[in-house]
Amino acid sequence: MRTQANTADQPWVIPVAAMGVVATASILAGPGFGLLPFFTAGPALAAARGTARTVLGVGAFSAALCLVSALADDHLGHTRTLVALGGIVFVTAAACYVSSVRRQAERDLVDVREVAEAVQDVLVPPLPAQVGPLTLTDSYLSATRSARVGGDLSQAVPCEDGVRVMIADVQGKGIEALRTAAVVLHTFRDAASGPLGLREIAPRIEEALATRTDGERFVTGVIAEARDDGSVDLLNYGHAAPLIRRADGHLELARPAEHTLPLGLSGLAAPQAPGPAVARVVLAPEDRILFYTDGLSEARDDRGEFYPLQDRAGGPLSHPGPDRALQELRADVDRHTGGGRDDDSVLLLLQFEQAS
């Protein structure tokens, strides 16, 4: 069946409707009110959404309505009619210029978004959906409308007997935070895919932060290795503790054994400090572990209260579909905050299936 076009999507509808209102008001008010100059509203409104050709068409229609109204009021040769027509011509010309500038800006914005999406695809390639018995699902939400690139990041790299995962949050915002995120992601992918042990990945990232960035930013993060037998080793560098949802609905935090400085601040630690202790958790079939950044855990309501992750995340994360579970969790956070957000957030959900 043929779909009928929505007239609200046509750029001439609102301008024509506005001129119809002016024409009706002019007829009802009579010749003494001099509403003819208000016909300039048509081309002015057309510039907001239409092309220059649309603006010219609306301007011609506006001039025609002005002449008809002047004829009806017996003001066809009066000065006020000539002034109104001159105003329509001037506004139409100005509106054509505005429309052309607007459309060029829209084209530039499309180009910028395409470049940003290409950068995002290079920086953060899609996660592997399945690695043996491990299922991975992620969700990224930017505090900046329409933005897809930020300082919050996640990545997963298959390894010999499972997958290595990192979720991190770069301190600060803007282009420097993005550059730091790119360095962290590249270094993690390179180190995690090789023969290095889990503990050897963070020193590589520390070295990259010192030599390839401005050295003024730190990165909180969790580096984990999930194996095919369900065991997960976690190294926490000043980051929020991952949330484990057991198959029976029980929630627990994978808290680090001790607090450790974020990546990039190792110089502040005591000499020869051993780094964070490995925290090991074991997942049973259908257990899930949620990695997240503080855009989730520190989402505030209108009273300034943080989102109570352990109290409320159980319901959304119980949904059988991982994608839907993250969607439900996002929706619940929106209900808590009233729909507002002031920080990026990344979610990465890892589910352990029955090993074959």
Side-chain angles (χ1 to χ4, degrees), residues 323-338:
D323 284 317
R324 182 62 182 274
L326 294 185
Q327 291 173 10
E328 293 293 330
L329 182 58
R330 293 285 193 199
D332 192 55
V333 174
D334 282 345
R335 285 190 288 271
H336 175 77
T337 63

Side-chain angles (χ1 to χ4, degrees), residues 29-74:
F33 281 85
L35 299 180
L36 297 182
F38 286 94
F39 283 109
T40 56
L45 290 172
R49 298 177 60 193
T51 64
R53 180 178 297 181
T54 301
V55 173
L56 287 172
V58 171
F61 183 64
S62 176
L65 279 181
C66 179
L67 288 172
V68 170
S69 296
L71 181 62
D73 292 340
D74 197 23

Side-chain angles (χ1 to χ4, degrees), residues 157-216:
V157 178
C159 58
E160 184 176 355
D161 57 352
V163 63
R164 286 175 167 174
V165 171
M166 180 179 192
I167 191 161
D169 186 356
V170 177
Q171 172 260 336
K173 298 182 183 298
I175 192 66
E176 289 301 328
L178 175 58
R179 288 173 179 161
T180 303
V183 169
V184 172
L185 281 167
H186 174 78
T187 307
F188 171 75
R189 286 201 299 266
D190 184 58
S193 60
L196 296 179
L198 189 65
R199 277 189 168 278
E200 297 174 276
I201 296 175
R204 292 290 184 91
I205 296 175
E206 290 269 7
E207 181 183 358
L209 288 172
T211 59
R212 296 167 55 192
T213 71
D214 59 12
E216 298 181 357

Side-chain angles (χ1 to χ4, degrees), residues 51-136:
T51 64
R53 180 178 297 181
T54 301
V55 173
L56 287 172
V58 171
F61 183 64
S62 176
L65 279 181
C66 179
L67 288 172
V68 170
S69 296
L71 181 62
D73 292 340
D74 197 23
H75 287 160
L76 193 56
H78 287 199
T79 302
R80 67 171 61 179
T81 303
L82 297 176
V83 170
L85 289 172
I88 292 172
V89 171
F90 177 81
V91 171
T92 299
C96 284
Y97 172 75
V98 171
S99 175
S100 299
V101 171
R102 190 204 82 243
R103 285 177 59 80
Q104 182 60 51
E106 289 173 349
R107 287 190 290 268
D108 291 344
L109 180 59
V110 169
D111 291 342
V112 169
R113 286 179 176 173
E114 288 177 352
V115 170
E117 289 174 2
V119 170
Q120 174 79 0
D121 292 338
V122 171
L123 288 181
V124 191
L127 298 181
Q130 189 84 29
V131 179
L134 303 166
T135 300
L136 295 98

